[in-house]
Amino acid sequence: MIIIKNLTKKFGSKVAVDNISVAIPEGRVIGFLGPNGAGKTTTMNIILGLEKPTAGEVKIDGKNYTELKDPLRVVGAIVGTNFHKNRSLREHLRFLTVVAGIPRNRIDEVLELTGLTDVAKKPVGKFSLGMTQRAGIAAAILGEPKYLILDEPVSGLDPEGIICVREFCKAYAAAGHTVLISSHLMSEVEHTVDGAIIIGRGKIIMTGTLKEILRKTETKTLEAAFIKLTAKEVEFRAGELPKFSEAEGGK
Amino acid sequence: MWKLLKSEFIKARSLRSIRLLCIFGILIFVALALVSVQNLLNAKSLSDINTYQDVARYHRDTVQVLWSSVNGAIPIMFQIIVGILAVLLVTNEYVSGTIKSSLMATPRRFKLFVAKLIFTLALIATLTFVLQILAFVIVWCFQSGRITEVGLWASLTQDFATNCLAPVLAVTLSSAIWFGFAWIIRNSTGAILLGISMVLILTALINMVFGWEHGPEINNWMPQGFFDQVFDPSSSSVCSITKKEEPCSDFLRGVIGLGSYTILTLAVSALIFQKRDA
């Protein structure tokens, strides 16, 4: 189980994550939801040891990420772009297998699983967005990790790509793994997750299963619940859009 | 550690920019070496070339004849090229975001830092050593007859191994400083500019500020001054500064000085890498 305890992260005077504590249950797909700047990516980076917390800790099966003996076999992740555009996917996966001591034939397995076998020798920079996201998934599941952390995995994907990621997450959790997924697409997340952690301005606003969240917020969809919960937490709000009639000069 | 070194090799060989830079370094070296040989061939007599006088005086080997004969162009050019190589091996990871993959696979940062350092310096030392051999072969092909004429040949080949390693050591230590700059700045342009400033601009700046009376003396304590002492202890410039007839004591001084700068830069960069968010 991943346990986040009194986690705080400050960047100068700005508090990105404000004393959050939560336990992420195993064998489920959990949504990590919040508006822009809520602290989702920062929290994920801290879980993965990429950023250091100002206070608090994150334990993965009782250990910090940096203490894990074979981290890629415990946690797999997509956090932003982490491919060199001129390096082929196969070479990227190769260096990961060498470090983690993963058998070389696993590369062919994950390429087959993500449907990237034919393009594995091409530079990742020539991939479409959907292919890059699938490449990220291939790298994340290379070590068959117990936990999968996906930061905005469906961002920019076409409907087919979104469905692909959704089905993958469900199947991965069904196999007894845990998937933590952050996304802005509430309608999509609603079809994917079993439960959600909703965060705003660095603080946890609500956690629970989908049913619990809908019941507590007295809403019918996760999107409505999210908007209701985060109404006061949005840091940068767009101005009200002009109506069509006004925009067209009252015609 | 072996796994990490192997993964660093895979990362380096799979990038076209690194491969091209290595090839570019070799081509530049060979081109300048041929220019150097041409200069030697055009000389009317051996006494026209200062470096030959140095050879005669200090019994240095043919490799240093070549390296010195184009007034330091090869050492500086080559130092910059391998410095850029050291920088790119680090900053490529930050620019592309691959550093996140590397850190997720190797969360113990010091281990990753050491592995990358060992790989980078081993690559640069090997490259420099191979090119030194190439330089020797070039000189041997074009100049063996003339060197034999003045009876230097025996002494030239005698200390080849030792004298070949001095430039390798100098280039490797200097590259380690560039490597440190790359971790501190995390930006290719910034780190390369800092490296070039250390090699070229700092020397000129000190000479401008302190004049020719004190400038060379101060530069003698700067990284590039120590580099020169390690790279070519028999060079006339170093000897004239130190007012010594025999050059060998400057080599040790250079190693300690350049080594100190290297250790300081690496320590600072390792500390920053440990503390800073990816």
Side-chain angles (χ1 to χ4, degrees), chain A residues 81-246:
Chain A
T81 310
N82 41 18
F83 292 103
H84 194 292
K85 63 177 183 175
N86 292 329
R87 183 179 286 131
S88 75
L89 176 59
R90 186 173 282 279
E91 291 285 5
H92 183 90
L93 298 176
R94 177 88 184 98
F95 102 73
L96 290 175
T97 53
V98 168
V99 179
I102 297 165
R104 203 169 173 170
N105 60 5
R106 178 67 184 154
I107 295 174
D108 294 322
E109 285 176 24
V110 296
L111 288 173
E112 186 71 35
L113 207 66
T114 50
L116 294 170
T117 307
D118 293 341
V119 293
K121 287 184 179 174
K122 283 186 179 176
V124 177
K126 292 187 176 175
F127 284 13
S128 67
L129 188 61
M131 285 161 73
T132 308
Q133 291 291 47
R134 277 191 282 159
I137 290 173
I141 62 171
L142 199 60
E144 296 180 78
K146 186 176 172 185
Y147 304 100
L148 208 52
I149 294 176
L150 310 175
D151 189 15
E152 305 281 356
V154 295
S155 179
L157 290 187
D158 57 17
E160 196 185 341
I162 292 173
I163 292 168
C164 177
V165 172
R166 181 204 301 167
E167 296 307 318
F168 167 77
C169 289
K170 283 182 172 181
Y172 205 73
H177 303 107
T178 303
V179 181
L180 182 66
I181 181 170
S182 82
S183 178
H184 288 110
L185 302 174
M186 291 304 129
S187 54
E188 170 46 37
V189 171
E190 192 166 3
H191 290 109
T192 313
V193 301
D194 302 308
I197 300 163
I198 299 177
I199 184 172
R201 289 190 188 270
K203 289 185 176 177
I204 288 179
I205 301 169
M206 188 173 280
T207 60
T209 62
L210 273 185
K211 280 183 183 175
E212 284 171 351
I213 290 172
L214 296 180
R215 183 172 48 79
K216 284 178 190 171
T217 54
E218 297 174 342
T219 52
K220 289 181 179 176
T221 62
L222 184 61
E223 190 170 55
F226 177 81
I227 289 170
K228 192 173 181 180
L229 286 168
T230 61
K232 292 176 185 173
E233 313 297 340
V234 177
E235 199 167 7
F236 306 105
R237 195 183 297 279
E240 193 177 341
L241 293 171
K243 291 172 185 171
F244 273 112
S245 57
E246 289 170 359

Side-chain angles (χ1 to χ4, degrees), chain A residues 13-34:
Chain A
S13 60
K14 181 174 167 55
V15 183
V17 179
D18 192 358
N19 195 30
I20 67 170
S21 296
V22 67
I24 297 163
E26 291 185 8
R28 292 183 188 177
V29 183
I30 302 295
F32 195 42
L33 316 173

Side-chain angles (χ1 to χ4, degrees), chain B residues 35-106:
Chain B
V35 168
S36 160
V37 167
Q38 186 61 37
N39 288 342
L40 291 170
L41 289 172
N42 288 340
K44 286 177 186 172
S45 68
L46 290 175
S47 59
D48 288 346
I49 304 162
N50 289 335
T51 47
Y52 271 83
Q53 291 171 343
D54 289 340
V55 169
R57 201 186 313 157
Y58 302 123
H59 304 290
R60 309 309 295 180
D61 71 25
T62 48
V63 175
Q64 285 171 346
V65 176
L66 178 76
W67 284 77
S68 305
S69 61
V70 283
N71 299 323
I74 287 179
I76 288 178
M77 286 288 284
F78 192 67
Q79 189 186 1
I80 289 173
I81 289 169
V82 293
I84 293 172
L85 183 65
V87 166
L88 289 185
L89 283 168
V90 175
T91 54
N92 262 336
E93 296 230 3
Y94 277 104
V95 172
S96 64
T98 318
I99 189 72
K100 288 182 180 177
S101 291
S102 299
L103 284 172
M104 280 191 277
T106 316

